[in-house]
């Protein structure tokens, strides 16, 4: 019995030990699980802290990168703005340079035009001086010739009267020697022809005197100041000077009115007449007519020169007063005649009007004030003011 009880107790004790071991193992497992859980939470906490730190670092890096990118974009925008401003400035500078170059080209063209007009005027002035000198040199001997021819005509008439008187006193039939001489010299033909010869010589000398006088009137270079002038006389003188350019191509028709004396520079106005007359003759194909007319309106006078040529093309009308513009073949025109004429008339405070219907000829009308202002823009004193 005792052994049984002891065995029972031993088993109970063993069972209790087993039970306690199980409890201990369970507790140990629980402790281990709790420890593992605590270790896991700490590791997770550490990981979370590290992640948060990395996130903060990355965020800081991103913010720095964003800030740097913003600065770069701002710098790029500023650089782009500066570049656009520089481009605009360069474009404005280029446009200003082009405008300046255009102005310089225009100025150069004006200077060239002025220089060529000056050269043309100087050439005309030199020709005028030469013509005046030649006219002066011719005028004296031609005056002698003309005067001597008139005297010779008188002498010849007297000699013929004397011959007639001798013939009446001593008839040729009574003087065979005289009759032979009469027959040899053909006295009857001589008596008729000598008067004709002398008259033709006087007429030729008179024409030479008139041409010389017209040349002197046309080229009165000594009269280089403003003065009152008869425009009709200047037109007539100029017409005689250029008559050789006109007589083979055109008939002159005059429809001149009554004009007062005009205050002007006569030699320059005669240049205008010369250019317009020569142009009118050259514009005519074959034979035609050049009509000269004049008139007065209020304080203005006008002189018109019209031709029966083919007229001026509408496309050319706006260019005819431009320097060097010409529709003539190469070598037949400088393109300065009308330009110089326009400048002269403009200098006189006047204007030139052009009427040229297609196929209807061309009319140039020169308008001039009867009197200049008391003092012109460049300080010249007019003739009227000087006389006053």
């Amino acid at each position: 019995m005792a052994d049984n009880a002891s065995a029972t107790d031993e088993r109970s004790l063993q069972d209790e030990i087993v039970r306690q071991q199980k409890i201990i193992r369970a507790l140990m497992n629980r402790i281990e699980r709790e420890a593992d859980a605590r270790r896991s939470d700490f590791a997770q906490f550490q990981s979370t802290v590290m992640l948060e730190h990395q996130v903060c670092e990355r965020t800081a890096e991103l913010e720095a990168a964003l800030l740097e990118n913003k600065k770069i974009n701002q710098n790029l925008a500023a650089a782009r703005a500066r570049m656009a401003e520089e481009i605009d400035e360069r474009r404005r500078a280029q446009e200003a340079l082009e405008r300046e170059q255009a102005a310089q080209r225009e100025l150069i063209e004006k200077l060239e035009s002025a220089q060529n007009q000056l050269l043309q005027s100087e050439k005309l002035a030199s020709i005028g001086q030469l013509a005046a000198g030649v006219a002066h040199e011719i005028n004296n001997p031609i005056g002698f010739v003309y005067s001597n021819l008139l005297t010779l005509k008188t002498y010849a008439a007297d000699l013929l009267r004397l011959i007639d008187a001798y013939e009446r006193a001593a008839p040729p039939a009574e003087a065979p020697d005289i009759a032979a001489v009469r027959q040899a010299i053909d006295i009857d033909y001589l008596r008729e022809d000598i008067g004709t010869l002398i008259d033709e010589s006087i007429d030729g000398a008179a024409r030479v005197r008139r041409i010389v006088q017209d040349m002197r009137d046309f080229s009165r270079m000594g009269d280089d100041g403003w003065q009152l002038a008869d425009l009709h006389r200047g037109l007539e003188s100029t017409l005689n000077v250029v008559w050789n350019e006109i007589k083979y191509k055109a008939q002159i028709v005059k429809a001149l009115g009554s004009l007062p004396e005009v205050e002007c520079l006569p030699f320059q106005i005669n240049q205008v007449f010369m250019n317009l007359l020569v142009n009118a003759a050259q514009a005519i194909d074959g034979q035609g007519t050049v009509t000269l007319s004049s008139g007065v309106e209020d304080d203005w006078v006008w002189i018109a020169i019209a031709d029966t040529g083919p007229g001026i093309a509408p496309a050319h009308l706006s260019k005819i007063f431009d320097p060097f513009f010409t529709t003539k073949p190469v070598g037949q025109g400088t393109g300065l005649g009308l330009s110089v004429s326009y400048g002269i008339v403009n200098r006189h405070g006047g204007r030139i009007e052009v009427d040229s219907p297609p196929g209807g000829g061309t009319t140039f009308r020169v308008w001039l004030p009867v009197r200049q202002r008391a003092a012109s823009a460049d300080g010249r004193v007019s003739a009227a003011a000087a006389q006053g």
Side-chain angles (χ1 to χ4, degrees):
M1 281 294 290
D3 291 332
N4 289 333
S6 155
T8 302
D9 290 337
E10 184 176 353
R11 283 194 300 273
S12 298
L13 180 62
Q14 289 178 351
D15 291 336
E16 182 65 22
I17 290 170
V18 170
R19 189 180 66 82
Q20 289 296 328
Q21 286 178 347
K22 290 180 179 180
I23 291 172
I24 290 170
R25 281 196 299 275
L27 288 174
M28 290 294 294
N29 289 334
R30 183 177 179 180
I31 290 170
E32 286 179 0
R33 284 195 302 272
E34 288 181 356
D36 291 338
R38 287 192 183 93
R39 283 196 301 271
S40 176
D41 289 342
F42 181 74
Q44 186 176 4
F45 173 75
Q46 283 184 330
S47 297
T48 301
V49 171
M50 291 177 63
L51 287 174
E52 288 181 354
H53 180 70
Q54 291 177 355
V55 168
C56 290
E57 288 181 349
R58 186 61 178 168
T59 301
E61 291 176 356
L62 289 174
E63 287 178 352
L66 288 174
L67 183 61
E68 184 67 21
N69 187 48
K70 184 177 180 181
K71 290 180 179 179
I72 292 172
N73 288 334
Q74 289 177 348
N75 292 334
L76 287 175
R80 197 177 295 115
R82 287 194 302 271
M83 185 180 297
E85 185 177 354
E86 289 178 0
I87 292 173
D88 290 339
E89 186 175 354
R90 289 183 180 181
R91 184 169 58 249
R92 288 193 297 270
Q94 181 69 23
E95 291 174 352
L97 180 61
E98 291 176 356
R99 287 194 299 271
E100 184 177 355
Q101 290 176 344
Q104 288 178 351
R105 284 194 298 270
E106 183 178 359
L107 180 59
I108 290 172
E109 290 175 357
K110 288 182 177 179
L111 287 174
E112 289 179 348
S113 172
Q115 183 180 12
N116 285 299
Q117 289 187 15
L118 180 60
L119 290 174
Q120 184 78 354
S121 297
E122 289 178 350
K123 289 180 181 178
L124 289 172
S126 299
I127 293 172
Q129 288 177 337
L130 179 62
V134 171
H136 178 73
E137 293 299 324
I138 294 176
N139 190 56
N140 289 334
I142 203 64
F144 300 152
V145 172
Y146 183 76
S147 176
N148 292 342
L149 284 172
L150 292 177
T151 304
L152 179 61
K153 182 178 181 181
T154 303
Y155 291 168
D158 292 340
L159 289 173
L160 290 175
R161 285 201 309 273
L162 179 60
I163 292 173
D164 290 339
Y166 278 127
E167 288 181 346
R168 287 193 300 270
E174 299 177 1
D177 294 340
I178 295 177
V181 174
R182 280 174 54 86
Q183 187 177 1
I185 67 174
D186 195 357
I187 187 64
D188 295 331
Y189 176 77
L190 187 148
R191 182 182 283 111
E192 293 176 1
D193 195 45
I194 193 170
T196 303
L197 291 176
I198 293 175
D199 288 340
E200 289 178 353
S201 299
I202 291 174
D203 181 64
R207 289 175 60 188
V208 173
R209 288 186 67 188
R210 185 168 61 252
I211 292 173
V212 169
Q213 184 60 45
D214 290 336
M215 290 177 65
R216 294 180 66 185
D217 290 341
F218 175 79
S219 57
R220 285 183 296 179
M221 295 306 298
D223 300 332
D224 55 357
W226 293 84
Q227 57 185 279
L228 300 177
D230 182 353
L231 294 187
H232 285 161
R233 181 180 176 185
L235 180 61
E236 189 69 29
S237 300
T238 306
L239 180 61
N240 290 333
V241 170
V242 300
W243 179 241
N244 192 60
E245 293 281 340
I246 301 174
K247 62 182 179 181
Y248 299 110
K249 301 192 66 175
Q251 178 185 2
I252 299 296
V253 176
K254 297 179 182 179
L256 301 175
S258 178
L259 297 183
E261 289 188 330
V262 175
E263 186 179 4
C264 63
L265 299 170
F267 175 68
Q268 293 190 7
I269 297 301
N270 288 345
Q271 288 184 40
V272 175
F273 293 156
M274 180 184 69
N275 291 333
L276 296 181
L277 286 168
V278 171
N279 279 359
Q282 292 177 346
I284 296 173
D285 295 327
Q287 292 291 324
T289 301
V290 174
T291 302
L292 310 179
S293 56
S294 63
V296 59
E297 291 185 15
D298 298 328
D299 296 330
W300 292 79
V301 299
W302 57 267
I303 288 184
I305 298 176
D307 64 66
T308 56
I312 302 172
H316 295 159
L317 276 175
S318 62
K319 304 176 183 178
I320 58 175
F321 295 115
D322 292 346
F324 308 111
F325 177 80
T326 180
T327 57
K328 300 174 184 176
V330 176
Q332 294 188 15
T334 63
L336 287 173
L338 289 178
S339 176
V340 170
S341 299
Y342 180 86
I344 290 173
V345 174
N346 186 63
R347 197 176 304 124
H348 281 73
R351 65 184 186 277
I352 301 180
E353 296 177 350
V354 185
D355 183 23
S356 185
T362 303
T363 300
F364 284 90
R365 192 182 303 271
V366 178
W367 289 85
L368 293 171
V370 177
R371 295 291 183 273
Q372 297 292 316
R373 292 179 299 172
S376 59
D378 56 0
R380 295 172 302 192
V381 179
S382 69
Q387 291 175 358

